Coordinates of all heavy atoms in Angstrom, one line a residue:
Y27 N 90.4 85.9 97.6 CA 89.2 86.4 97.0 C 88.6 85.3 96.1 O 87.5 84.8 96.3 CB 89.5 87.6 96.2 CG 88.4 88.1 95.3 CD1 87.1 88.2 95.7 CD2 88.7 88.6 94.0 CE1 86.1 88.6 94.9 CE2 87.7 89.1 93.2 CZ 86.4 89.1 93.6 OH 85.4 89.6 92.8
V202 N 85.4 90.4 89.3 CA 84.8 91.4 90.2 C 83.6 90.8 90.8 O 83.1 89.7 90.4 CB 84.4 92.7 89.6 CG1 85.6 93.5 89.1 CG2 83.5 92.5 88.4
G203 N 83.0 91.4 91.8 CA 81.7 91.0 92.4 C 81.9 90.0 93.6 O 83.1 89.8 94.1
A204 N 80.8 89.5 94.1 CA 80.9 88.7 95.4 C 79.8 87.7 95.3 O 78.9 87.7 94.5 CB 80.7 89.6 96.6
L221 N 89.7 98.4 90.7 CA 88.6 99.3 90.5 C 87.4 99.1 91.4 O 86.9 100.0 92.1 CB 88.2 99.3 89.1 CG 87.1 100.2 88.6 CD1 87.4 101.7 88.9 CD2 86.8 100.0 87.1
M222 N 86.9 97.8 91.5 CA 85.7 97.6 92.1 C 85.7 97.7 93.7 O 84.9 98.5 94.2 CB 85.2 96.2 91.8 CG 83.8 95.9 92.1 SD 82.6 97.0 91.3 CE 81.9 96.0 90.1
P223 N 86.7 97.1 94.4 CA 86.8 97.4 95.8 C 87.0 98.8 96.1 O 86.5 99.4 97.1 CB 87.9 96.5 96.3 CG 88.6 96.0 95.1 CD 87.7 96.1 93.9
M225 N 86.0 101.4 94.4 CA 84.7 102.1 94.2 C 83.8 101.8 95.3 O 83.1 102.7 95.8 CB 84.1 101.6 92.9 CG 83.0 102.4 92.3 SD 83.0 102.3 90.5 CE 82.7 100.6 90.2
A226 N 83.8 100.6 95.8 CA 82.9 100.3 97.0 C 83.3 101.1 98.2 O 82.5 101.6 99.0 CB 83.0 98.8 97.3
A229 N 81.9 104.5 97.8 CA 80.5 104.5 98.0 C 80.2 104.5 99.5 O 79.2 105.1 100.0 CB 79.9 103.3 97.3
Y254 N 85.2 92.5 82.4 CA 84.9 92.2 83.8 C 84.1 90.9 83.9 O 83.1 90.8 83.1 CB 84.1 93.4 84.5 CG 85.0 94.6 84.5 CD1 84.8 95.6 83.6 CD2 86.0 94.8 85.5 CE1 85.6 96.8 83.6 CE2 86.8 95.9 85.5 CZ 86.6 96.9 84.6 OH 87.4 98.0 84.6
I255 N 84.5 90.0 84.7 CA 83.8 88.7 84.9 C 83.4 88.5 86.3 O 84.2 88.8 87.2 CB 84.7 87.6 84.3 CG1 84.1 86.2 84.7 CG2 86.1 87.6 84.8 CD1 84.7 85.0 84.0
H256 N 82.2 88.1 86.5 CA 81.7 87.9 87.9 C 82.5 86.7 88.5 O 82.6 85.7 87.9 CB 80.2 87.6 87.9 CG 79.6 87.7 89.3 ND1 79.8 86.9 90.3 CD2 78.7 88.6 89.8 CE1 79.1 87.2 91.4 NE2 78.5 88.3 91.1
V257 N 82.9 86.9 89.8 CA 83.7 85.9 90.5 C 83.0 84.5 90.6 O 83.6 83.5 90.5 CB 84.2 86.4 91.8 CG1 83.1 86.6 92.8 CG2 85.3 85.6 92.4
V289 N 84.1 96.5 78.6 CA 83.3 97.6 79.3 C 84.4 98.6 79.8 O 85.4 98.3 80.4 CB 82.6 97.0 80.5 CG1 81.9 98.1 81.4 CG2 81.5 96.0 80.1
S290 N 84.1 99.9 79.5 CA 85.0 100.9 79.9 C 84.9 101.2 81.4 O 83.8 100.9 82.0 CB 84.8 102.2 79.1 OG 83.7 102.9 79.6
V291 N 85.9 101.9 82.0 CA 85.9 102.2 83.4 C 84.7 103.1 83.6 O 83.9 103.0 84.6 CB 87.2 102.9 83.8 CG1 87.1 103.5 85.2 CG2 88.4 102.0 83.7
K292 N 84.5 104.1 82.7 CA 83.4 105.0 82.9 C 82.0 104.3 82.9 O 81.1 104.6 83.7 CB 83.4 106.1 81.8 CG 83.7 107.5 82.3 CD 83.6 108.4 81.1 CE 83.4 109.8 81.6 NZ 83.6 110.7 80.5
E293 N 81.9 103.4 82.0 CA 80.6 102.6 81.9 C 80.4 101.8 83.2 O 79.3 101.8 83.7 CB 80.7 101.6 80.7 CG 80.3 102.0 79.4 CD 80.4 100.8 78.4 OE1 79.5 100.0 78.3 OE2 81.5 100.7 77.8
L294 N 81.4 101.2 83.7 CA 81.3 100.4 84.9 C 80.9 101.3 86.1 O 80.0 100.9 86.9 CB 82.6 99.7 85.2 CG 82.5 98.7 86.4 CD1 81.7 97.5 86.1 CD2 83.9 98.2 86.9
V295 N 81.5 102.5 86.2 CA 81.1 103.4 87.2 C 79.7 103.8 87.1 O 78.9 103.8 88.1 CB 82.0 104.7 87.2 CG1 81.6 105.7 88.2 CG2 83.5 104.3 87.5
E296 N 79.2 104.1 85.9 CA 77.8 104.5 85.7 C 76.8 103.3 86.1 O 75.8 103.6 86.8 CB 77.5 104.8 84.2 CG 78.0 106.2 83.9 CD 78.2 106.4 82.4 OE1 77.7 105.7 81.6 OE2 78.9 107.4 82.0
V297 N 77.2 102.1 85.8 CA 76.3 101.0 86.2 C 76.3 100.9 87.7 O 75.3 100.7 88.4 CB 76.7 99.6 85.6 CG1 75.9 98.5 86.1 CG2 76.7 99.7 84.1
F298 N 77.5 101.0 88.3 CA 77.6 100.9 89.8 C 76.8 102.0 90.5 O 76.1 101.7 91.4 CB 79.1 101.1 90.2 CG 79.4 100.9 91.6 CD1 79.7 99.6 92.1 CD2 79.3 101.9 92.5 CE1 79.9 99.4 93.5 CE2 79.6 101.7 93.9 CZ 79.9 100.5 94.4
E299 N 76.8 103.2 89.9 CA 76.1 104.3 90.5 C 74.6 104.0 90.4 O 73.8 104.3 91.4 CB 76.4 105.6 89.8 CG 77.8 106.1 90.1 CD 78.0 107.5 89.4 OE1 77.6 107.8 88.3 OE2 78.7 108.3 90.1
R300 N 74.1 103.5 89.3 CA 72.7 103.2 89.1 C 72.3 102.1 90.0 O 71.3 102.2 90.7 CB 72.5 102.8 87.6 CG 71.1 102.6 87.2 CD 70.9 102.8 85.7 NE 71.9 102.3 84.8 CZ 72.1 101.0 84.5 NH1 71.3 100.1 84.9 NH2 73.1 100.6 83.7
V301 N 73.1 101.0 90.1 CA 72.7 99.8 90.9 C 72.7 100.2 92.4 O 71.8 99.8 93.2 CB 73.6 98.6 90.6 CG1 73.4 97.5 91.6 CG2 73.4 98.1 89.2
T302 N 73.7 100.9 92.8 CA 73.8 101.2 94.3 C 73.2 102.5 94.7 O 73.2 102.8 95.9 CB 75.3 101.2 94.7 OG1 75.9 102.3 94.0 CG2 76.0 99.9 94.3
K303 N 72.7 103.2 93.7 CA 72.1 104.6 94.0 C 73.1 105.4 94.8 O 72.7 106.1 95.8 CB 70.7 104.5 94.7 CG 69.7 103.7 93.9 CD 68.3 103.9 94.4 CE 67.2 103.2 93.6 NZ 67.4 102.5 92.4
T304 N 74.3 105.4 94.4 CA 75.3 106.2 95.1 C 76.1 107.0 94.0 O 76.3 106.5 92.9 CB 76.4 105.3 95.7 OG1 75.9 104.1 96.0 CG2 77.1 105.9 96.9
I306 N 79.5 108.5 92.7 CA 81.0 108.2 92.8 C 81.8 109.4 92.2 O 81.9 109.5 91.0 CB 81.4 106.9 92.1 CG1 80.6 105.7 92.6 CG2 82.9 106.6 92.3 CD1 80.8 105.3 94.0
L338 N 76.4 85.9 84.5 CA 76.0 87.0 85.3 C 76.3 88.4 84.7 O 77.3 88.5 84.0 CB 76.6 86.9 86.7 CG 76.2 85.7 87.5 CD1 77.1 85.3 88.6 CD2 74.7 85.8 87.9
T339 N 75.5 89.4 84.9 CA 75.6 90.6 84.2 C 76.5 91.6 85.0 O 76.8 91.4 86.2 CB 74.2 91.3 84.1 OG1 73.8 91.5 85.5 CG2 73.2 90.4 83.4
I340 N 76.8 92.7 84.3 CA 77.5 93.8 85.0 C 76.8 94.3 86.2 O 77.3 94.6 87.2 CB 77.8 95.0 84.0 CG1 78.8 94.5 82.9 CG2 78.3 96.2 84.6 CD1 80.2 94.5 83.3
E341 N 75.4 94.4 86.1 CA 74.6 94.8 87.2 C 74.8 93.9 88.4 O 75.0 94.4 89.5 CB 73.1 94.8 86.8 CG 72.7 96.0 86.0 CD 73.1 96.0 84.5 OE1 73.6 94.9 84.1 OE2 73.0 97.0 83.9
E342 N 74.8 92.6 88.2 CA 75.1 91.6 89.3 C 76.4 91.9 89.9 O 76.6 91.7 91.1 CB 75.1 90.2 88.8 CG 73.8 89.7 88.1 CD 72.7 89.4 89.1 OE1 72.9 89.4 90.3 OE2 71.6 89.2 88.6
M343 N 77.4 92.2 89.1 CA 78.8 92.4 89.6 C 78.9 93.6 90.5 O 79.7 93.7 91.4 CB 79.8 92.7 88.4 CG 79.8 91.5 87.4 SD 81.0 91.9 86.1 CE 80.3 90.8 84.8
C344 N 77.9 94.6 90.4 CA 78.0 95.8 91.2 C 77.1 95.7 92.4 O 77.1 96.7 93.2 CB 77.5 97.0 90.3 SG 78.6 97.4 89.0
K345 N 76.4 94.6 92.6 CA 75.4 94.6 93.7 C 75.9 94.5 95.1 O 75.2 94.7 96.0 CB 74.4 93.4 93.4 CG 73.2 93.8 92.7 CD 72.3 92.6 92.7 CE 71.1 92.9 91.7 NZ 70.4 91.6 91.4
Y346 N 77.1 94.0 95.2 CA 77.6 93.8 96.6 C 78.8 94.6 97.0 O 79.6 94.9 96.2 CB 77.9 92.3 96.8 CG 76.7 91.4 96.5 CD1 76.4 91.0 95.2 CD2 75.8 91.2 97.6 CE1 75.2 90.3 95.0 CE2 74.7 90.5 97.3 CZ 74.3 90.1 96.1 OH 73.2 89.4 95.8
K347 N 78.8 95.0 98.2 CA 79.9 95.8 98.7 C 81.1 94.8 98.8 O 81.0 93.7 99.3 CB 79.7 96.2 100.1 CG 78.6 97.2 100.3 CD 78.4 97.3 101.8 CE 77.2 98.0 102.2 NZ 76.9 98.0 103.6
T348 N 82.2 95.2 98.2 CA 83.4 94.4 98.3 C 84.6 95.2 98.8 O 84.6 96.4 98.7 CB 83.8 93.7 97.0 OG1 84.1 94.8 96.1 CG2 82.7 92.9 96.4
I353 N 80.9 92.0 103.9 CA 80.4 92.2 102.6 C 78.9 91.9 102.6 O 78.5 90.8 103.0 CB 81.1 91.3 101.6 CG1 82.6 91.7 101.5 CG2 80.6 91.5 100.1 CD1 83.4 90.6 102.1
K354 N 78.1 92.8 102.2 CA 76.6 92.6 102.1 C 76.0 93.4 101.0 O 76.7 94.4 100.5 CB 75.9 92.8 103.4 CG 76.2 94.2 104.0 CD 75.5 94.3 105.3 CE 75.7 95.8 105.8 NZ 75.2 96.0 107.1
P355 N 74.8 93.0 100.6 CA 74.2 93.8 99.4 C 74.1 95.3 99.8 O 73.7 95.6 100.9 CB 72.9 93.1 99.2 CG 73.0 91.8 99.9 CD 73.9 92.0 101.0
F356 N 74.3 96.1 98.8 CA 73.9 97.5 98.9 C 72.4 97.6 99.0 O 71.7 96.8 98.3 CB 74.3 98.3 97.7 CG 75.7 98.8 97.8 CD1 76.7 98.1 97.1 CD2 76.1 99.9 98.5 CE1 78.0 98.5 97.1 CE2 77.4 100.3 98.6 CZ 78.4 99.6 97.9
N357 N 71.9 98.4 99.9 CA 70.4 98.6 99.8 C 70.1 100.0 99.3 O 71.0 100.8 99.2 CB 69.7 98.3 101.1 CG 70.1 99.2 102.2 OD1 70.2 100.4 102.0 ND2 70.3 98.7 103.4

Side-chain angles (χ1 to χ4, degrees):
Y27 172 43
V202 292
L221 182 56
M222 194 61 107
M225 194 150 61
Y254 297 100
I255 170 170
H256 196 291
V257 68
V289 172
S290 77
V291 171
K292 245 181 159 171
E293 271 180 88
L294 186 70
V295 172
E296 280 162 19
V297 175
F298 185 90
E299 288 185 323
R300 187 155 38 79
V301 169
T302 64
K303 301 197 177 352
T304 332
I306 303 294
L338 298 164
T339 61
I340 291 283
E341 280 75 12
E342 301 282 353
M343 299 179 204
C344 292
K345 263 190 190 161
Y346 298 89
K347 297 173 192 172
T348 61
I353 299 110
K354 55 183 183 185
F356 274 102
N357 66 41

